Amino acid sequence: MKNLLTSRWFGLFIPLIAIGFGFFAGALIMLISGNNPVTGYVALVEGVFGDLYYFGETLQQMIPLIFSGIAVAFAFRTGLLNIGVEGQLIVGWFAAVIVGISIEAPLMIHLPLAILGGAIAGALWGFVPGLLKARLQVHEVIVTIMMNYIAMHVANALIRAYFQESGQRTAFIHDSASLASEFLAEITNFSRLHWGFFLAVLACVLMWFLLWKTKLGFELRSVGHNRQASAYAGMNVNTNIIMSMSISGGFAGVGGAMLGLGTFEYAEILSSFTDYGFDGIAVALLGASNAIGIFFSSFLFGGLQQGANNMQGQANVAPELADIIIALIIFFVASSYLIRWIYSRLQSKKEGK
Amino acid sequence: MADILQILYTIVPAALIASTPLLLTALGGLFSERSGVVNIGLEGLMVMGAFSGIVGTLFFESIGFGFASPWMGMLAAIILGAVFSLFHAVASITLKADQIVSGVALNFLALGLSVFIVREVFDRGQTDAISARLFRIDVPFLSEIPVIGPMFFSRIYATTFLAFIVVAIVWYVIFKTPFGLRLRSVGEHPMAADTMGIKVTRMRYIGVMLSGALGGLGGAIFAITTAGNFSAGTIVGQGFMALAALIFGKWHPVGAMGAAVFFGFAQALSISAQQIPGLAEIPQVYMLILPYVLTILALAGFVGKAEPPKALNQTD
């Protein structure tokens, strides 16, 4: 018990407390707004587990969240905050769909090529802020925010100019580039769950392997811990920063490809952001930038967003409650100082006795 | 020549009106960032301001304030914006949370909370439209000056003039008062400031709350003059554009004004470029991404180096 503050269990303790606080605050908000929190949360849980279709949709929601969470976490391990996951995801979505539409090839070639297209586009979008950071010491946060808007407007303009098919979207991708799965759809009551789910799980493993089992990962983490010491040890800090942002962007781009090749099978003209990229910050933060943590926090946030729909139908609670809970969970995790402080106060009181 | 003037008479007022909310919000961000607290949450503060501005206007309309209602709505937005920014202040100053993460959370919370309330109150995703709008006015006498009159003083909102007056006030407060000196010293070297007896925490709280007040006002003005109601889609990116204006303006009130007006121009041009000979061939997308590209170039030092306050985003 004594070393709880420093032990690895405390890493698990803070997110759990933060989730508890978040749901408690959500219940308070429901009470104040004249709803019954019990009915509300029952509807939320049923909205995730109550029907195979809901569950399939939750898993489907998790796919882009996992990828954007990994993208944020990967950069974070190198001490970089990649707010640009949103933009990297958008260009990845666009590029993957373009490959999916404009090339004819057998599945074994076409699908990997389309995913690769998304990864390269995302990586390029991450490379620019990485380069500016490494060469000119420009803060990556502002550059990536700006790159998000550039991504959205450029992708929209390209779709409008060259690929607009019906309404606000492109044509459907060829079947040979599709991740859609009749089998997965059938066992989940015809949800949009697709093969991308397994790719997302694979990506978690890949992230863990890259960071903890390779020389590159060691250097990236080392740069994240202490830039001066890493440079002194002979590592090329600038190259590592660029690598980290590019790989992070690549993960985000594949997340976009999952939307384009699996969930929607087309790209559309976006009137506002998809928000998957920003949710990724929440996922990475709650998951402590750790592969398993990211998987579970994606499930939590994906479930919250999916279940919120049912909350509206069944308990008449506005679905935005899910966003409020997510925002509060981020606040609480980010303010872990508070939790540590309360804990150490309790601890010192005990010792005083 | 007459044609060009005619075009300018349409575009300049449109640009000034588009730049008003950006300018006010950027000035708000200036207080926060000059005190050493990054404010990515400007977007959320504008959302909160737009929400309280519209709901406030509707409320004061209903109790018979008539044409004063929008102004009361703006007042409500200033107050609620300042109160709402306390989330960011408490998390990032007192609880030492990462300022950027806290700002991101603020954006989520603003959108979630405001749309949640709207749905609970109005039973749908948007509020009713306000009926007591602000009107575009011609300034007496000044609007009759040839060339300048129709360009700067005709068919414009009173709020636009208000914003430019605020620029002067902010400049004076930041550079000519003891308060401004203290605020800047806290943002540059908090330890030294602390040694000199300046209350670092208090100064930063004030900085963040001023950003909430001005960001709220910016959001409210956008909602009241341009949108007319509030929904999740009312504020989409104006807060980030204001942040860009602040950085492009090198954390200086006059610079931020220049940047905001410039971004306003880009916005007005992207809407009306089709009618202008010579510009019609340029795809709209260039105008849309121009503010963001310029901000990146400014940060990279191609358009003069933008140096942030030294203690920005340091949690200790």
Side-chain angles (χ1 to χ4, degrees):
Chain A
M1 257 329 251
K2 205 176 171 186
N3 292 324
L4 193 61
L5 274 177
T6 46
S7 79
R8 56 188 303 190
W9 290 110
F10 200 73
L12 194 65
F13 182 64
I14 287 180
L16 287 179
I17 297 253
I19 293 169
F21 276 162
F23 277 94
F24 179 69
L28 278 184
I29 291 172
M30 280 194 268
L31 266 181
I32 294 166
S33 59
N35 295 292
N36 183 342
V38 178
T39 343
Y41 281 141
V42 167
L44 178 76
V45 173
E46 278 179 6
V48 179
F49 298 102
D51 189 308
L52 273 175
Y53 172 81
Y54 292 154
F55 192 67
E57 279 293 309
T58 303
L59 296 186
Q60 183 272 118
Q61 284 278 359
M62 279 177 72
I63 302 167
L65 287 179
I66 289 177
F67 277 101
S68 58
I70 290 177
V72 174
F74 203 87
F76 197 67
R77 288 278 182 191
T78 320
L80 301 164
L81 195 57
N82 183 2
I83 308 263
V85 172
E86 181 69 36
Q88 293 145 12
L89 186 135
I90 290 173
V91 294
W93 181 352
F94 172 77
V97 167
I98 296 315
V99 175
I101 293 173
S102 41
I103 295 177
E104 301 244 11
L107 181 87
M108 292 311 281
I109 301 169
H110 199 181
L111 180 59
L113 207 62
I115 295 174
L116 190 70
I120 291 174
L124 265 176
W125 227 252
F127 172 80
V128 175
L131 183 75
L132 289 174
K133 170 89 178 178
R135 293 270 170 254
L136 299 163
Q137 284 79 46
V138 185
H139 204 293
E140 74 279 6
V141 167
I142 307 295
V143 179
T144 50
I145 289 175
M146 302 302 139
M147 295 285 287
N148 286 341
Y149 286 95
I150 299 175
M152 184 170 80
H153 289 308
V154 169
N156 281 352
L158 287 175
I159 293 176
R160 204 169 274 137
Y162 303 111
F163 302 102
Q164 193 165 5
E165 188 78 358
S166 64
Q168 296 290 302
R169 59 171 181 78
T170 65
F172 282 103
I173 53 168
H174 296 308
D175 283 342
S176 53
S178 172
L179 281 165
S181 152
E182 269 177 40
F183 169 69
L184 290 175
E186 225 162 89
I187 60 167
T188 57
N189 220 346
F190 301 99
S191 76
R192 291 176 295 173
L193 182 63
H194 54 85
W195 293 120
F197 185 76
F198 298 100
L199 288 177
V201 175
L202 218 63
C204 287
V205 178
L206 180 68
M207 172 205 174
W208 170 81
F209 183 80
L210 270 179
L211 276 176
W212 298 96
K213 296 291 158 193
T214 64
K215 176 169 159 284
L216 172 74
F218 177 78
E219 287 200 8
L220 292 180
R221 286 184 293 117
S222 161
V223 169
H225 275 299
N226 190 332
R227 238 163 247 178
Q228 278 79 24
S230 308
Y232 195 68
M235 296 174 195
N236 189 333
V237 174
N238 285 345
T239 312
N240 278 311
I241 287 174
I242 297 174
M243 277 303 270
S244 175
M245 282 302 285
S246 305
I247 296 174
S248 166
F251 274 117
V254 177
M258 296 300 113
L259 292 170
L261 306 175
T263 310
F264 296 103
E265 304 190 285
Y266 57 79
E268 59 185 344
I269 295 170
L270 298 167
S271 57
S272 67
F273 285 138
T274 65
D275 280 344
Y276 285 115
F278 298 113
D279 291 342
I281 300 168
V283 167
L285 201 67
L286 185 66
S289 301
N290 156 317
I292 300 171
I294 287 170
F295 184 84
F296 283 111
S297 47
S298 298
F299 181 69
L300 178 75
F301 290 154
L304 265 170
Q305 283 164 352
Q306 177 58 34
N309 299 327
N310 194 48
M311 259 174 120
Q312 188 175 28
Q314 201 172 312
N316 205 19
V317 177
E320 281 74 21
L321 187 76
D323 300 327
I324 300 177
I325 295 176
I326 291 176
L328 291 174
I329 291 177
I330 312 177
F331 265 122
F332 289 128
V333 175
S335 310
S336 61
Y337 179 80
L338 173 72
I339 298 172
R340 279 169 207 274
W341 183 79
I342 295 173
Y343 181 77
S344 64
R345 264 303 172 86
L346 291 176
Q347 206 59 8
S348 62
K349 255 189 197 162
K350 258 185 214 164
E351 277 163 23
K353 281 177 191 169
Chain B
M1 189 61 198
D3 276 356
I4 294 174
L5 271 182
Q6 213 53 49
I7 290 161
L8 282 177
Y9 293 161
T10 337
I11 287 204
V12 174
L16 291 179
I17 289 167
S19 65
T20 306
L22 298 181
L23 177 52
L24 284 166
T25 310
L27 290 173
L30 189 136
F31 278 111
S32 167
E33 303 226 334
R34 280 280 184 169
S35 79
V37 181
V38 180
N39 207 337
I40 302 271
L42 288 178
E43 174 86 5
L45 294 169
M46 281 187 88
V47 169
M48 226 40 200
F51 163 77
S52 19
I54 290 293
V55 173
T57 307
L58 287 171
F59 173 74
F60 286 107
E61 265 173 19
S62 71
I63 58 170
F65 269 70
F67 287 109
S69 312
W71 296 99
M72 298 303 288
M74 285 181 222
L75 193 67
I78 291 174
I79 296 167
L80 274 170
V83 171
F84 186 68
S85 69
L86 278 172
F87 267 106
H88 185 46
V90 171
S92 60
I93 303 168
T94 306
L95 300 176
K96 301 186 168 46
D98 188 291
Q99 294 171 359
I100 289 163
V101 173
S102 157
V104 169
L106 194 76
N107 292 337
F108 272 110
L109 188 63
L111 203 56
L113 204 57
S114 56
V115 181
F116 179 83
I117 296 172
V118 166
R119 263 194 221 283
E120 290 289 325
V121 175
F122 295 90
D123 267 325
R124 57 202 165 104
Q126 61 187 58
T127 66
D128 299 335
I130 54 171
S131 44
R133 300 288 284 265
L134 290 179
F135 293 102
R136 291 167 78 154
I137 48 165
D138 293 342
V139 183
F141 307 120
L142 290 177
S143 63
E144 275 150 42
I145 305 171
V147 185
I148 296 173
M151 222 184 276
F152 297 105
F153 299 107
S154 299
R155 302 182 55 248
I156 208 142
Y157 293 111
T159 45
T160 302
F161 292 107
L162 179 78
F164 287 94
I165 294 167
V166 174
V167 174
I169 298 173
V170 170
W171 175 83
Y172 184 80
V173 168
I174 291 279
F175 293 108
K176 298 291 164 193
T177 64
F179 168 79
L181 182 65
R182 286 182 196 137
L183 191 85
R184 281 183 290 135
S185 70
V186 163
E188 293 290 331
H189 203 310
M191 282 229 275
D194 192 38
T195 317
M196 297 300 288
I198 299 169
K199 294 196 169 59
V200 176
T201 307
R202 190 205 282 170
M203 290 312 288
R204 289 190 166 170
Y205 263 85
I206 294 173
V208 172
M209 286 182 77
L210 281 173
S211 80
L214 285 171
L217 179 61
I221 288 177
F222 180 82
I224 289 168
T225 57
T226 310
N229 69 354
F230 176 80
S231 71
T234 303
I235 302 291
V236 277
Q238 288 93 331
F240 286 115
M241 186 136 18
L243 185 70
L246 175 63
I247 296 163
F248 191 47
K250 296 173 190 159
W251 288 272
H252 191 288
V254 179
M257 177 180 77
V261 170
F262 183 73
F263 291 174
F265 251 104
Q267 243 173 40
L269 273 180
S270 76
I271 295 163
S272 50
Q274 260 61 37
Q275 304 148 18
I276 302 171
L279 282 180
E281 286 85 50
I282 301 174
Q284 197 194 13
V285 62
Y286 290 109
M287 299 292 176
L288 286 174
I289 65 173
L290 189 67
Y292 309 111
V293 173
L294 278 174
T295 306
I296 293 177
L297 292 179
L299 278 167
F302 296 120
V303 197
K305 186 88 183 150
E307 284 274 1
K310 293 220 169 39
L312 205 55
N313 198 27
Q314 290 172 359
T315 33
D316 280 318

